[in-house]
Amino acid sequence: DKPFVLIAGPCQLETRQHAFDMAGAVKEITDRLGIGFIYKTSFDKANRTSRNATRGLGLELALPIFEDLKKELGLPVLTDVHERDQCAEVASVVDVLQIPAFLCRQTDLLEAAAQTGKVVNVKKGQFLAPWDMKNVVNKVVDAGNPNVLATERGVSFGYNTLVNDMRALPIMKEQCRCPVVIDATHSVQQPGGQGTASGGDRRMVPHIATAAVSLGVAAVFIETHQDPDNAPSDGPNMVKLDELEALLARLRKFDELAKVA
Amino acid sequence: DKPFVLIAGPCQLETRQHAFDMAGAVKEITDRLGIGFIYKTSFDKANRTSRNATRGLGLELALPIFEDLKKELGLPVLTDVHERDQCAEVASVVDVLQIPAFLCRQTDLLEAAAQTGKVVNVKKGQFLAPWDMKNVVNKVVDAGNPNVLATERGVSFGYNTLVNDMRALPIMKEQCRCPVVIDATHSVQQPGGQGTASGGDRRMVPHIATAAVSLGVAAVFIETHQDPDNAPSDGPNMVKLDELEALLARLRKFDELAKVA
Amino acid sequence: DKPFVLIAGPCQLETRQHAFDMAGAVKEITDRLGIGFIYKTSFDKANRTSRNATRGLGLELALPIFEDLKKELGLPVLTDVHERDQCAEVASVVDVLQIPAFLCRQTDLLEAAAQTGKVVNVKKGQFLAPWDMKNVVNKVVDAGNPNVLATERGVSFGYNTLVNDMRALPIMKEQCRCPVVIDATHSVQQPGGQGTASGGDRRMVPHIATAAVSLGVAAVFIETHQDPDNAPSDGPNMVKLDELEALLARLRKFDELAKVA
Amino acid sequence: DKPFVLIAGPCQLETRQHAFDMAGAVKEITDRLGIGFIYKTSFDKANRTSRNATRGLGLELALPIFEDLKKELGLPVLTDVHERDQCAEVASVVDVLQIPAFLCRQTDLLEAAAQTGKVVNVKKGQFLAPWDMKNVVNKVVDAGNPNVLATERGVSFGYNTLVNDMRALPIMKEQCRCPVVIDATHSVQQPGGQGTASGGDRRMVPHIATAAVSLGVAAVFIETHQDPDNAPSDGPNMVKLDELEALLARLRKFDELAKVA
């Protein structure tokens, strides 16, 4: 029952400078608050709504940046993988391999990620019941890697809408027997909600995060950006960097209460 | 931003003695915790899954009991109404008229309840978006009664299942401009889930209540019973009386934090 | 396995003249096509989204019009009831009492309707599983009236959206042991979808009706209007009167095939 | 507006003999009925609920069998691909590359499939609105391949349940500007519904297929097996081989009517 860890960063890796700016800024905040911090960013947005959307720097350019971020800022790094053959290479640098929600049932990908020995964070599919995540987690564990995280990020609720079922958190905690994470950013996404891009409502992030933290989570996943409205992806649901510290400070209080009470 | 009020009691009015026992027991708890308490019980379960299910004592036998409960225990009483012509009679005794979720769009019932001048607690329909509750609340307000409560009790999510969208709480607070209540009991109902009766999972009540209280609610609605497994209705989702105090004490801490932070 | 019956008319009773015009026009069409016809109209829209919306002529003005429609056009009439004490009076004139979807679990209303001896058409609640309709139908049957119809009109699917689960038709046919009706009008409603009124998409009516008829239904419920865009309610989902005949002629072919094949 | 084509076969490739038996048996039926036939089978079930479930023969063993099936029976073959690097190899033999529903937003996979020049059948994700399929289809078309099929196979509706929104068929036809397929097998799946495997209800297949065909589809996808209850995957929702001909003959009549009327 340790304090929650923050998994945060901009949705996608834009430039080396931007990555260092964002990682440095968030690190200062989490250092002040005494919160553990894992830097999250994507080298490739592999499932954009539209083919014309920006996808990120790509693996080759990203890995050296990840490496330098780790070295210079002393930060663990999390990024997502999409196909088996990326796993080993990505794992040579990053600390946490993330399995995207759409891919949470792809057995080969889960096993390839597992076999790297790195921590594997699996996002619960938008189509998956919380009690079915134990099968997903077991695919990683049975492949020899007990270091799994299970992340709630909302479930399909009609069209272009997700809802968080807060019961998913205690159910996954009990059944998956692994740390449970709340992704407060993608939970408030409106998939495809803008025609050729996904919408979202960042005003809801603090509510989802607070409710989840009050039930006791191991980590909080929040994407953040200095200027979300101009970010290349997930802008509508990223938290503004200059609002992050107040949010985290507040979450920290609910976290303490949840873990003491 | 006052402490939450507890709306509690057994689902249905069983006998005079049972009502006094339950009301007295809960009152002792809330007195100890310094929480306001409104006694809730139904004189008639008008929408049971099956026609053969027990419905309650009925209005005529119930009203004198409500009157005595108020007089002898000094408690405000809440009960639900189902048709227009019940409103005035019920309002001659009780303090809060509750509109059941299925009936939340019945204009005449809302107006008849409004016209009694008593507080009206409208449950959000299982079929209603949070932003549509403002139209419901306005039906009461426009009928001349500004004393409305809006209660979240879950929304249809596939068959025989409800889900709480925690975003509903801040949305209703902002748009309905009235106190917002979480009904942690019916939120965990599985409607029709037992063939000829509804199921539920009372283990989820503390989670739903905690998450909601952390977002700041005016009242918490929890049905309780000394022996829920043998209660005539909503047994699977009522909290055991002897577990109520610990739950409320814990909720009270999250409530304080939500209203300070 | 008789041909489907048409239940049709404008959503609400506007004026005596309008009722006669509409009923006469639809009767000419169904006479030409050899389809049975029950005239449907509401004397009161008791659950409008907004309190300010038009509700209809009211019971007192409506009943003499219903009586004359029956006498002069030789048509059976269907209308909906909302409270117990309306049932006997309405049944003194109309042939089919309809229970609105939101009210399908109100035991007293179902029983009062049953006790009139008239046919009772119960709409399946937007919150109800198809297998739970047998409990609803049984409330009518067990009250002594075996003349029940069960109507599919869509189920809640996220916010402001309904979806038809076509499996509901065979499931209700098997389990309710009564004629099953498709309401192709309200199935395409977008409840509350226009802020203070419900939206809809009438272009989907033929698709829903065709799919349902192909599975074999006893009746098709379609609201129609000579000028839906200016109708006082359900305009967005009513079929234009001058498109009705072609639709019915097409449905009739699928109906024949469904009942022969 | 040609007659529908049948896409059928057992869920997974079990043995060479089984594949020839099944393909031959279905071909006899479709020859008798004058229906076009594409043989469908999976060489790898890459997203089973549980890691311990049977996955199929694998690509290397499968391709020669596919080749012989095509040569000896003169049948086009469809199979699904899961990662980019499978596409070219699979396309060297099979005629239609299928993108699984969970993977329908993986841009790279869609492009790799497109670049083979073969027909690409994309299943609509369980989490996707029908109007969002145009973005998916455009990823293939914009990669230079106009030969796309879009398949409806149900959308998430609460937990462990799918529902078919029949409106998806006309919406996709209009917006995707490509042939639309109904997958009547996976539509009646209950994902994860048996704990460590998915359930289903094959009795619903004829209803879903009939409703969809009546709206006019280009192809019907039905998995079939001589002994579904003992099949290694999707048993609960596969149609028994000896019931296939009667079903297809009936569907053919609705198809004719849909395309004439």
Side-chain angles (χ1 to χ4, degrees):
Chain A
D1 273 344
K2 298 176 214 154
F4 73 80
V5 168
L6 179 71
I7 302 172
C11 180
Q12 69 177 64
L13 181 50
E14 302 179 15
T15 64
R16 167 181 285 263
Q17 189 58 49
H18 186 251
F20 270 81
D21 290 350
M22 292 297 305
V26 178
K27 186 174 156 40
E28 276 181 37
I29 293 169
T30 52
D31 282 352
R32 271 197 294 274
L33 295 171
I35 294 177
F37 172 38
I38 299 172
Y39 186 67
K40 184 268 161 179
T41 199
S42 295
F43 60 85
D44 181 20
K45 306 305 298 175
N47 56 25
R48 298 298 305 264
T49 301
S50 162
R51 189 175 181 247
N52 300 320
T54 312
R55 289 184 48 170
L57 275 193
L59 184 54
E60 272 175 68
L61 292 173
L63 285 184
I65 301 177
F66 289 161
E67 203 154 14
D68 293 348
L69 276 171
K70 285 169 53 84
K71 215 179 304 172
E72 298 181 27
L73 297 176
L75 284 177
V77 169
L78 171 152
T79 200
D80 34 1
V81 288
H82 314 283
E83 296 207 333
R84 273 176 301 180
D85 57 19
Q86 295 172 333
C87 293
E89 192 176 356
V90 170
S92 71
V93 175
V94 311
D95 304 273
V96 186
L97 271 65
Q98 180 167 287
I99 309 294
F102 291 147
L103 304 183
C104 76
R105 281 185 56 149
Q106 304 305 312
T107 308
D108 289 338
L109 180 61
L110 291 164
E111 295 188 356
Q115 282 152 9
T116 65
K118 295 293 172 115
V119 178
V120 179
N121 179 27
V122 194
K123 296 216 177 169
K124 179 162 67 65
Q126 298 87 339
F127 44 79
L128 206 79
W131 41 86
D132 292 331
M133 267 300 273
K134 66 175 178 300
N135 294 312
V136 168
V137 166
N138 285 347
K139 287 183 184 178
V140 180
V141 173
D142 293 351
N145 187 341
N147 302 311
V148 196
L149 311 175
T151 296
E152 157 65 14
R153 49 92 79 232
V155 61
S156 277
F157 180 66
Y159 293 134
N160 303 310
T161 310
L162 300 170
V163 69
N164 283 286
D165 182 353
M166 288 295 159
R167 295 172 301 185
L169 300 172
I171 290 171
M172 289 200 294
K173 231 186 294 187
E174 188 186 304
Q175 298 196 356
C176 297
R177 301 169 176 278
C178 73
V180 169
V181 183
I182 181 72
D183 173 350
T185 294
H186 295 93
S187 289
V188 305
Q189 206 181 35
Q190 291 153 355
Q194 301 185 331
T196 55
S198 291
D201 184 355
R202 80 171 63 99
R203 294 172 307 166
M204 292 297 135
V205 170
H207 300 300
I208 297 303
T210 302
V213 161
S214 300
L215 302 188
V217 291
V220 177
F221 178 115
I222 295 179
E223 290 185 348
T224 184
H225 196 276
Q226 86 287 355
D227 181 13
D229 291 334
N230 293 304
S233 53
D234 271 321
N237 32 327
M238 280 199 282
V239 167
K240 286 183 191 160
L241 179 59
D242 62 15
E243 295 175 0
L244 186 64
E245 183 159 3
L247 171 58
L248 292 174
R250 197 166 189 279
L251 291 178
R252 193 59 197 89
K253 290 182 193 160
F254 284 94
D255 184 56
E256 276 169 29
L257 187 54
K259 286 167 180 171
V260 167
Chain B
D1 271 345
K2 297 176 215 154
F4 73 78
V5 168
L6 178 70
I7 302 174
C11 181
Q12 71 177 63
L13 180 51
E14 302 179 14
T15 64
R16 167 180 286 262
Q17 189 57 49
H18 186 252
F20 269 82
D21 289 350
M22 293 297 303
V26 178
K27 187 174 155 38
E28 276 180 38
I29 293 169
T30 51
D31 282 353
R32 271 197 295 272
L33 296 171
I35 295 175
F37 172 36
I38 299 172
Y39 186 68
K40 184 271 162 177
T41 200
S42 295
F43 60 85
D44 183 19
K45 306 305 297 175
N47 57 24
R48 298 299 303 266
T49 301
S50 162
R51 189 175 180 245
N52 300 319
T54 312
R55 290 184 48 171
L57 276 192
L59 183 54
E60 272 176 68
L61 291 173
L63 284 185
I65 300 176
F66 289 161
E67 203 154 14
D68 293 348
L69 275 170
K70 286 169 52 86
K71 215 179 305 172
E72 297 180 29
L73 296 176
L75 286 176
V77 170
L78 170 152
T79 201
D80 34 1
V81 289
H82 315 282
E83 296 208 332
R84 275 175 301 181
D85 57 20
Q86 294 172 334
C87 293
E89 193 175 356
V90 169
S92 72
V93 174
V94 312
D95 304 273
V96 185
L97 271 65
Q98 180 167 286
I99 307 295
F102 291 147
L103 305 182
C104 76
R105 283 185 55 150
Q106 303 305 312
T107 309
D108 289 337
L109 180 61
L110 290 164
E111 294 188 355
Q115 282 152 8
T116 65
K118 295 294 172 112
V119 177
V120 179
N121 179 27
V122 194
K123 295 216 176 168
K124 179 161 67 64
Q126 297 87 338
F127 43 80
L128 206 79
W131 41 85
D132 292 331
M133 267 302 273
K134 67 175 177 300
N135 293 312
V136 167
V137 165
N138 285 347
K139 287 183 183 178
V140 180
V141 173
D142 292 351
N145 186 343
N147 302 310
V148 197
L149 312 175
T151 297
E152 156 66 13
R153 49 92 78 231
V155 61
S156 278
F157 179 66
Y159 293 134
N160 303 309
T161 310
L162 299 171
V163 69
N164 283 286
D165 182 353
M166 288 295 159
R167 297 171 300 186
L169 300 172
I171 291 171
M172 290 200 293
K173 232 186 294 187
E174 186 185 305
Q175 299 196 356
C176 297
R177 301 168 177 277
C178 74
V180 168
V181 184
I182 181 72
D183 173 350
T185 294
H186 295 93
S187 289
V188 304
Q189 206 181 34
Q190 291 153 355
Q194 302 185 330
T196 55
S198 291
D201 184 354
R202 80 171 64 98
R203 293 172 307 167
M204 292 296 136
V205 170
H207 301 300
I208 298 302
T210 301
V213 161
S214 300
L215 302 188
V217 291
V220 177
F221 179 114
I222 296 179
E223 290 185 349
T224 184
H225 197 275
Q226 86 286 354
D227 182 13
D229 291 334
N230 292 303
S233 53
D234 270 321
N237 33 326
M238 281 199 282
V239 167
K240 285 182 191 161
L241 179 59
D242 61 16
E243 296 175 359
L244 186 63
E245 183 159 3
L247 171 58
L248 292 174
R250 196 164 190 281
L251 292 178
R252 193 60 198 89
K253 290 182 193 160
F254 284 94
D255 184 56
E256 275 170 31
L257 186 55
K259 287 166 181 170
V260 169
Chain C
D1 272 346
K2 298 177 213 152
F4 73 78
V5 169
L6 179 70
I7 302 173
C11 181
Q12 71 178 64
L13 181 50
E14 302 179 14
T15 64
R16 165 180 287 262
Q17 190 57 49
H18 185 253
F20 269 82
D21 289 350
M22 293 297 305
V26 178
K27 185 173 155 42
E28 276 181 39
I29 293 169
T30 53
D31 282 352
R32 272 197 293 273
L33 296 171
I35 295 176
F37 171 36
I38 299 171
Y39 187 67
K40 184 270 161 176
T41 200
S42 296
F43 60 85
D44 182 20
K45 306 306 298 176
N47 57 24
R48 299 299 303 266
T49 302
S50 161
R51 187 173 181 248
N52 300 320
T54 313
R55 289 185 48 169
L57 275 192
L59 183 53
E60 272 176 68
L61 291 173
L63 285 184
I65 302 175
F66 290 161
E67 202 153 15
D68 293 348
L69 276 170
K70 285 170 53 86
K71 216 178 304 172
E72 296 180 29
L73 297 176
L75 284 177
V77 170
L78 171 151
T79 201
D80 36 0
V81 288
H82 314 283
E83 296 208 331
R84 272 175 303 180
D85 57 19
Q86 294 173 332
C87 292
E89 193 176 357
V90 169
S92 71
V93 175
V94 312
D95 303 275
V96 185
L97 271 65
Q98 179 167 289
I99 308 295
F102 292 148
L103 304 183
C104 76
R105 282 185 54 151
Q106 304 303 313
T107 308
D108 289 339
L109 180 62
L110 290 164
E111 294 188 355
Q115 282 152 10
T116 65
K118 295 293 172 114
V119 177
V120 179
N121 179 28
V122 194
K123 296 217 176 167
K124 178 162 68 63
Q126 297 87 338
F127 44 80
L128 206 78
W131 41 85
D132 293 330
M133 267 300 272
K134 66 175 179 299
N135 294 313
V136 168
V137 166
N138 285 347
K139 287 183 184 178
V140 180
V141 173
D142 293 350
N145 186 342
N147 302 311
V148 197
L149 311 175
T151 296
E152 157 65 14
R153 48 92 78 230
V155 61
S156 278
F157 180 65
Y159 293 134
N160 304 308
T161 310
L162 299 171
V163 69
N164 283 285
D165 183 353
M166 288 295 159
R167 296 172 301 186
L169 300 173
I171 290 171
M172 290 200 292
K173 232 186 294 187
E174 187 187 305
Q175 298 196 356
C176 298
R177 302 168 176 279
C178 74
V180 168
V181 183
I182 181 72
D183 173 351
T185 294
H186 295 94
S187 290
V188 305
Q189 205 181 35
Q190 291 154 355
Q194 301 186 331
T196 54
S198 290
D201 183 355
R202 80 171 65 98
R203 294 172 307 165
M204 293 296 137
V205 171
H207 301 300
I208 297 302
T210 301
V213 161
S214 300
L215 302 188
V217 291
V220 177
F221 178 116
I222 295 178
E223 290 185 348
T224 183
H225 197 275
Q226 85 287 354
D227 183 13
D229 290 335
N230 293 302
S233 52
D234 270 322
N237 33 327
M238 280 198 283
V239 167
K240 285 183 190 160
L241 180 59
D242 62 15
E243 296 175 358
L244 186 64
E245 183 159 3
L247 171 58
L248 291 175
R250 198 166 188 280
L251 291 179
R252 193 61 197 87
K253 289 181 192 160
F254 285 94
D255 184 56
E256 275 169 30
L257 187 54
K259 287 168 181 169
V260 168
Chain D
D1 272 346
K2 299 178 212 151
F4 73 80
V5 168
L6 179 70
I7 302 172
C11 181
Q12 69 178 65
L13 181 50
E14 302 179 15
T15 64
R16 167 181 286 262
Q17 190 57 49
H18 186 252
F20 269 82
D21 289 350
M22 291 298 304
V26 178
K27 185 172 156 41
E28 276 182 37
I29 293 170
T30 53
D31 281 352
R32 272 197 294 272
L33 295 172
I35 295 176
F37 172 37
I38 299 171
Y39 187 67
K40 183 270 161 177
T41 200
S42 295
F43 61 83
D44 182 20
K45 306 305 298 175
N47 56 25
R48 298 298 304 265
T49 301
S50 161
R51 189 174 180 247
N52 300 319
T54 313
R55 289 184 50 169
L57 276 192
L59 184 53
E60 272 175 69
L61 292 173
L63 285 184
I65 301 176
F66 290 161
E67 203 153 15
D68 294 347
L69 276 171
K70 286 169 52 86
K71 215 178 307 172
E72 297 181 29
L73 297 176
L75 284 177
V77 169
L78 170 152
T79 200
D80 34 1
V81 289
H82 314 282
E83 296 207 332
R84 273 175 302 181
D85 57 20
Q86 293 172 334
C87 293
E89 192 176 356
V90 169
S92 71
V93 174
V94 312
D95 304 275
V96 186
L97 271 66
Q98 180 167 285
I99 308 294
F102 291 147
L103 305 182
C104 75
R105 283 185 54 149
Q106 303 304 313
T107 308
D108 289 337
L109 180 62
L110 290 164
E111 294 187 355
Q115 282 152 8
T116 65
K118 295 294 172 112
V119 178
V120 179
N121 179 28
V122 194
K123 295 217 176 167
K124 179 162 67 64
Q126 297 87 337
F127 44 80
L128 205 79
W131 41 85
D132 292 332
M133 267 300 273
K134 67 175 177 300
N135 293 313
V136 168
V137 165
N138 285 347
K139 287 183 183 177
V140 181
V141 173
D142 292 352
N145 186 341
N147 302 310
V148 197
L149 310 175
T151 296
E152 156 67 13
R153 49 92 77 231
V155 60
S156 278
F157 180 65
Y159 293 134
N160 303 308
T161 309
L162 300 171
V163 69
N164 283 286
D165 183 354
M166 287 295 158
R167 296 172 300 186
L169 300 172
I171 291 171
M172 290 200 293
K173 232 186 293 187
E174 188 186 305
Q175 299 197 356
C176 298
R177 302 168 177 277
C178 75
V180 168
V181 183
I182 181 72
D183 172 351
T185 294
H186 295 93
S187 289
V188 304
Q189 205 181 37
Q190 291 153 356
Q194 302 185 331
T196 55
S198 291
D201 184 355
R202 82 171 62 98
R203 294 172 307 165
M204 292 297 136
V205 170
H207 300 300
I208 297 304
T210 302
V213 161
S214 300
L215 302 187
V217 290
V220 177
F221 179 115
I222 296 179
E223 290 184 348
T224 184
H225 197 275
Q226 85 286 354
D227 182 13
D229 291 333
N230 293 303
S233 53
D234 271 322
N237 33 326
M238 280 199 283
V239 168
K240 287 183 188 157
L241 179 59
D242 61 15
E243 295 176 358
L244 186 64
E245 183 160 3
L247 171 58
L248 291 175
R250 196 165 189 280
L251 292 179
R252 194 58 198 88
K253 290 182 192 160
F254 284 94
D255 184 56
E256 276 169 30
L257 188 54
K259 287 166 181 172
V260 168

